[in-house]
Amino acid sequence: MFHKTPGVAAVVVAFLILSLGGCVAKSDYLRKQAEADALNRDLAALTAQNGDFQAQIEKLTAATEGLIADRDRLIVDKERLEKERTDRDARLNRTTEETSRTIEDLKNRNIELEGDKQMLAESISLLKKMKEAEVQAVTKTYEDLLFELKKTKEVEVGTVSKTYEDLLSEMKSEIEQGQIAITELKGKLTVDVVDKILFDSGQTEIRREGLGVLKRVVEILITVEDKVIRVEGHTDSVPIGGALAKRYPTNWELSAARALNVTRYLEKEGIDPTLLSAVAFGEHQPIAENDTPEGRARNRRIAIILLPKE
């Protein structure tokens, strides 16, 4: 604003005085000098004030630039927030629409489920009635079958009991001598014949006396038509030895051969072969201890068993 140096006013005043040819009074000079000094002081004050103003301008400029930068950032943030709000609103609208559709679908599905529930209840009721009818029919059939089975069982038991009584009467002598044992339990009739009646020691061919005993048994068994007949071969626990072992290596083979020969004889005497079977047990199903001669003698046996048909 002001760039004049101190004393310039005094030089001007002096120049004016000189140019006026000294016509100016000394008092005027002094007054002018005082005015010049005042002007210099004012100029200095203004210069200082100008410096202060310049500093303030620079500070305000910097502040303005900072505010402009802040404004620009705020504008960017505002734009970003507006975009985020717009996106959020769009998502919210989509979610709202999807939720509305889902609610509508659920309502429709609930209506369908109610219909299905009603149909299911009706089906269950119908099935229950059908089941009750089936149960009643099955119960009646079961009761009828049970009645028929009971009658058949009574007939079977009666047949077994009669056969048992006939055998007891026919084989009374052999039973008393301990050569034959006859037992009957729950429809199963067993005739145990000790081996000494049927076979010589270590042999599988039936002795003449044994054939006579079996023939008397056959005369009773041949009348039985509703049972199967199983012939079992049993031995004691004494191992096969000597030359006999070449033919019968173990008691398995010996008991099997004896059971088969008895079975063949029963078939030969007229018993239906479809009712016959032969089984070998060797020493593995004893009825007495094998550590005494008496026990071993009881274990060496042929068992003829009457069983219900399967």
Side-chain angles (χ1 to χ4, degrees):
M1 294 174 63
F2 298 96
H3 301 287
K4 296 179 180 180
T5 58
V8 173
V11 173
V12 172
V13 172
F15 175 76
L16 290 173
I17 293 173
L18 289 174
S19 62
L20 293 174
C23 61
V24 180
K26 184 178 180 179
S27 60
D28 291 334
Y29 170 77
L30 293 175
R31 182 173 54 78
K32 296 295 182 182
Q33 183 66 40
E35 290 177 358
D37 290 339
L39 289 172
N40 284 332
R41 286 192 299 274
D42 291 341
L43 178 62
L46 291 173
T47 300
Q49 188 176 20
N50 180 61
D52 293 338
F53 286 157
Q54 192 68 31
Q56 290 179 9
I57 290 171
E58 292 175 355
K59 185 183 295 185
L60 290 172
T61 300
T64 300
E65 292 176 352
L67 291 172
I68 292 172
D70 291 341
R71 182 199 65 187
D72 293 340
R73 284 195 299 273
L74 290 172
I75 291 172
V76 172
D77 290 342
K78 177 185 177 184
E79 292 175 350
R80 177 178 57 79
L81 291 173
E82 287 179 348
K83 184 178 184 303
E84 290 178 355
R85 185 189 66 183
T86 301
D87 293 342
R88 185 174 61 251
D89 290 343
R91 289 196 301 271
L92 180 60
N93 290 334
R94 288 195 300 271
T95 302
T96 301
E97 292 175 358
E98 291 173 357
T99 302
S100 298
R101 286 195 299 271
T102 302
I103 292 173
E104 190 65 25
D105 291 342
L106 289 174
K107 287 180 179 179
N108 294 333
R109 182 56 181 161
N110 188 54
I111 294 173
E112 293 177 359
L113 289 175
E114 287 295 329
D116 293 343
K117 181 180 177 182
Q118 181 64 28
M119 291 178 60
L120 182 60
E122 293 174 357
S123 298
I124 291 174
S125 177
L126 179 60
L127 287 173
K128 186 176 180 181
K129 292 179 180 178
M130 293 174 61
K131 195 68 176 178
E132 290 174 352
E134 290 178 1
V135 169
Q136 291 176 358
V138 170
T139 301
K140 186 178 185 308
T141 303
Y142 173 76
E143 291 174 350
D144 292 343
L145 288 174
L146 191 61
F147 177 74
E148 292 297 327
L149 181 61
K150 184 177 180 181
K151 288 171 59 178
T152 303
K153 195 68 176 177
E154 289 174 353
V155 172
E156 290 180 354
V157 172
T159 301
V160 171
S161 298
K162 184 177 185 308
T163 304
Y164 174 68
E165 292 172 358
D166 292 344
L167 285 170
L168 287 178
S169 177
E170 179 65 29
M171 313 305 295
K172 182 177 180 180
S173 175
E174 287 78 4
I175 294 173
E176 290 175 350
Q177 296 176 33
Q179 298 172 344
I180 290 179
I182 303 174
T183 57
E184 187 270 326
L185 180 63
K186 295 182 179 179
K188 175 182 176 182
L189 191 151
T190 303
V191 180
D192 284 314
V193 184
V194 295
D195 73 330
K196 69 180 180 179
I197 296 179
L198 299 177
F199 308 102
D200 291 326
S201 178
Q203 301 301 311
T204 60
E205 295 299 324
I206 304 174
R207 299 173 60 219
R208 181 179 300 175
E209 294 83 352
L211 292 175
V213 171
L214 288 178
K215 187 173 182 61
R216 291 158 57 198
V217 172
V218 169
E219 289 174 353
I220 297 174
L221 297 184
I222 200 168
T223 62
V224 179
E225 298 178 353
D226 59 344
K227 303 289 182 183
V228 294
I229 301 172
R230 186 173 71 199
V231 179
E232 298 179 353
H234 299 269
T235 68
D236 58 24
S237 61
V238 178
I240 305 295
L244 187 62
K246 294 181 180 180
R247 187 173 183 182
Y248 307 112
T250 67
N251 284 320
W252 283 110
E253 288 79 11
L254 179 61
S255 62
R258 288 179 169 179
L260 284 171
N261 282 342
V262 172
T263 303
R264 289 194 188 98
Y265 178 78
L266 297 182
E267 179 184 5
K268 178 183 175 183
E269 290 299 311
I271 293 181
D272 185 353
T274 62
L275 303 177
L276 294 171
S277 63
V279 183
F281 288 100
E283 70 261 30
H284 301 294
Q285 286 197 6
I287 58 175
E289 298 295 334
N290 277 301
D291 53 1
T292 64
E294 294 78 9
R296 289 192 292 273
R298 290 185 60 195
N299 290 331
R300 295 189 300 270
R301 69 196 188 278
I302 289 291
I304 301 174
I305 304 174
L306 272 68
L307 297 167
K309 288 183 178 180
E310 294 183 356

